[in-house]
Amino acid sequence: MGLFDKIKSAFIRDKEKEQESEVEEIEEVDQVEEDAEDLVVEETQEITETEIEEVEATIEEVTEVVPEPIEISEEEISEVTAYEPVSESTDTQEKYNKGLAKTRKTFKQRMNELFANFRSVDEDFFEEVEETLIGADVGFETSMRIADELRQEVKLRNAKKPAAVQNAIIEKLVDLYEEEGLNEVNELNLQTNGLSVFLFVGVNGVGKTTSIGKLANQYRLEGKKVLLAAADTFRAGAIDQLVVWGERAQVEVVRGKAGGDPAAVVFDAMQRAKEEHADVLLVDTAGRLQNKVNLMNELDKIKRIIQRIDPEAPHEVLLVLDATTGQNAMTQAKQFKETTDVTGLVLTKLDGTAKGGIVLAIRNELHLPVKLVGLGEGIDDLEPFNPNDFVVGLFKELLQEEY
């Protein structure tokens, strides 16, 4: 079953649930009406003066009853106070559904605007499709390609009604997304034996340090020995920020002096990771130096230091992007791709943006795999990227019933 078929199945299931709930509501209303018709109002019996006197006499005889105190042992008290309600964990698909709500809403609004003045499928319409998709942050190249393929698809289907044309657009987007991701590896390259070294790069303010802290916490909870390296020695407060996240994640941070040599910090961290038999080392690097050349030289130096101790490392070079910046994130990705060997992306703040379509552009135009996505502000809201869950969460509610 292809991705689009999965989306259609999810769409049909939701529609069936809506219909079932509507039927249940109608049945409940009918039942209430039947009960109302069968209701017989009984006549109240008259209360005689004798009965009133008997009731008053009974009230006078009733004395106040004071309940005896119940003794509770300290053991029972401790059992009650120790109890904590267990919250139900939200499954990953539900997190994607919630996290992509803003993107889905914006996409839906753009589709509504596209079809608001729909008259016929002509050349003007296809130009509007291109503009709509570009505005939805799916990328210029992707938008052009979808519009071109849609010209043929609409003719083949003889699609004339808005619902059929909209579904064709969604299907083309999904098919292209699936096609471009055939050989994509979204899992992190975690070593089964020995140390895994992940290098994090990205401009300041995108959530790089936060992502490191959240990932460290996840690995610690899985029982892994984790170390952090504060190699962003240029930005004021970067070291302290990573230390705070280290405390939250309950992992140790290897650090040097502010303004010091980042490569020296990484060397110390690699040595310590080997000595302590750590499973994972996460390295925070400087987001921006004076220019591209300086940044490239600094990253190359860090890599050489790492490979002096472990020739196979780093096992991931993860570029962190802020999803709320839309096309600016694409520009950053292109620049860093030219500067260093990026192996994957971490897309933060996906839940707080209407520009989630950028994931489509990244896959279709940059061919860089998204490895992790931020779907909330909690320490456990950094999720491994699941392409299927993402595309279902984005497009499921955008399909239209065709009559």
Side-chain angles (χ1 to χ4, degrees):
M1 181 185 288
L3 266 178
F4 186 71
D5 292 329
K6 290 180 181 178
I7 294 171
K8 279 181 70 175
S9 299
F11 173 75
I12 292 168
R13 281 197 304 272
D14 285 353
K15 285 295 179 185
E16 288 173 349
K17 286 179 182 178
E18 286 177 13
Q19 290 172 358
E20 287 174 5
S21 62
E22 286 174 4
V23 170
E24 288 175 1
E25 287 176 7
I26 292 170
E27 288 176 350
E28 286 177 6
V29 171
D30 290 343
Q31 186 62 46
V32 169
E33 290 176 353
E34 287 176 13
D35 292 343
E37 289 173 3
D38 295 340
L39 187 63
V40 177
V41 181
E42 297 180 356
E43 294 183 358
T44 57
Q45 295 179 349
E46 293 184 1
I47 302 175
T48 63
E49 290 183 5
T50 308
E51 287 173 323
I52 292 172
E53 289 175 1
E54 289 176 357
V55 171
E56 289 175 347
T58 306
I59 292 171
E60 289 175 359
E61 291 174 1
V62 175
T63 56
E64 186 180 353
V65 179
V66 179
E68 294 182 3
I70 301 171
E71 293 184 1
I72 302 175
S73 65
E74 291 184 4
E75 186 177 344
E76 289 173 317
I77 292 172
S78 63
E79 286 179 2
V80 174
T81 55
Y83 171 77
E84 291 182 2
V86 180
S87 59
E88 295 182 7
S89 59
T90 311
D91 66 358
T92 307
Q93 181 63 69
E94 187 60 30
K95 278 192 174 184
Y96 275 95
N97 290 344
K98 289 180 179 178
L100 290 166
K102 290 183 179 179
T103 298
R104 197 164 50 242
K105 183 179 178 182
T106 301
F107 222 109
K108 199 168 189 176
Q109 287 172 347
R110 291 188 179 278
M111 284 294 180
N112 290 341
E113 290 169 6
L114 174 65
F115 289 102
N117 300 315
F118 177 83
R119 289 182 178 83
S120 63
V121 180
D122 54 19
E123 194 55 37
D124 288 340
F125 172 75
F126 289 118
E127 288 181 6
E128 289 176 7
V129 169
E130 289 176 12
E131 292 174 8
T132 298
L133 295 177
I134 291 170
D137 287 287
V138 301
F140 180 77
E141 293 176 18
T142 303
S143 302
M144 298 288 286
R145 182 173 170 182
I146 293 297
D148 288 340
E149 292 185 5
L150 194 63
R151 286 178 173 88
Q152 300 299 321
E153 190 68 24
V154 167
K155 287 179 183 177
L156 289 172
R157 295 189 186 190
N158 195 27
K160 296 177 181 179
K161 294 184 178 180
V165 178
Q166 178 163 326
N167 288 349
I169 294 171
I170 301 302
E171 184 171 359
K172 279 294 163 192
L173 281 168
V174 174
D175 288 348
L176 178 59
Y177 177 78
E178 188 173 22
E179 176 188 326
E180 293 292 338
L182 283 176
N183 299 314
E184 188 174 274
V185 179
N186 298 103
E187 293 80 17
L188 289 168
N189 184 22
L190 197 65
Q191 304 301 292
T192 51
N193 295 310
L195 177 66
S196 298
V197 182
F198 296 168
L199 205 60
F200 286 78
V201 299
V203 302
N204 298 333
V206 294
K208 182 156 47 81
T209 308
T210 301
S211 298
I212 292 171
K214 290 181 178 182
L215 188 60
N217 183 66
Q218 289 180 19
Y219 284 144
R220 179 188 62 81
L221 292 175
E222 291 173 10
K224 293 179 173 61
K225 167 72 173 174
V226 184
L227 278 179
L228 306 183
D232 183 358
T233 60
F234 295 95
R235 181 168 64 90
I239 296 172
D240 293 337
Q241 188 182 356
L242 191 66
V243 169
V244 169
W245 268 106
E247 291 171 354
R248 286 189 67 185
Q250 299 176 40
V251 298
E252 293 185 45
V253 179
V254 180
R255 52 181 165 163
K257 294 179 180 179
D261 184 1
V265 176
V266 173
F267 179 79
D268 291 343
M270 286 292 295
Q271 289 276 50
R272 186 167 166 184
K274 287 290 185 181
E275 290 170 2
E276 298 181 7
H277 303 288
D279 300 301
V280 181
L281 173 62
L282 306 179
V283 182
D284 187 14
T285 67
R288 183 178 294 158
L289 298 178
Q290 287 82 354
N291 54 51
K292 271 192 200 179
V293 176
N294 285 1
L295 177 60
M296 185 167 58
N297 290 341
E298 191 59 53
L299 292 174
D300 283 344
K301 185 178 178 182
I302 288 173
K303 282 184 184 178
R304 288 197 303 272
I305 292 295
I306 291 172
Q307 289 169 353
R308 190 182 299 174
I309 298 172
D310 185 348
E312 300 299 320
H315 304 96
E316 291 279 10
V317 178
L318 299 172
L319 172 60
V320 184
L321 298 173
D322 180 349
T324 63
T325 60
Q327 289 303 311
N328 285 339
M330 277 287 291
T331 304
Q332 290 171 25
K334 287 176 182 176
Q335 290 174 345
F336 270 92
K337 194 178 178 184
E338 294 169 2
T339 304
T340 188
D341 296 324
V342 177
T343 59
L345 303 177
V346 180
L347 206 56
T348 65
K349 309 173 191 177
L350 195 61
D351 61 307
T353 182
K355 300 180 178 181
I358 194 67
V359 175
L360 303 175
I362 287 168
R363 171 179 275 192
N364 299 338
E365 298 178 21
L366 294 182
H367 305 287
L368 283 172
V370 177
K371 303 267 184 171
L372 298 165
V373 287
L375 295 173
E377 295 181 359
I379 196 169
D380 59 345
D381 287 328
L382 185 70
E383 293 286 337
F385 181 66
N386 185 311
N388 292 3
D389 287 346
F390 168 80
V391 83
V392 171
L394 179 58
F395 290 124
K396 181 181 66 173
E397 293 181 12
L398 299 179
L399 290 179
Q400 298 288 316
E401 290 185 279
E402 298 180 30
Y403 298 100

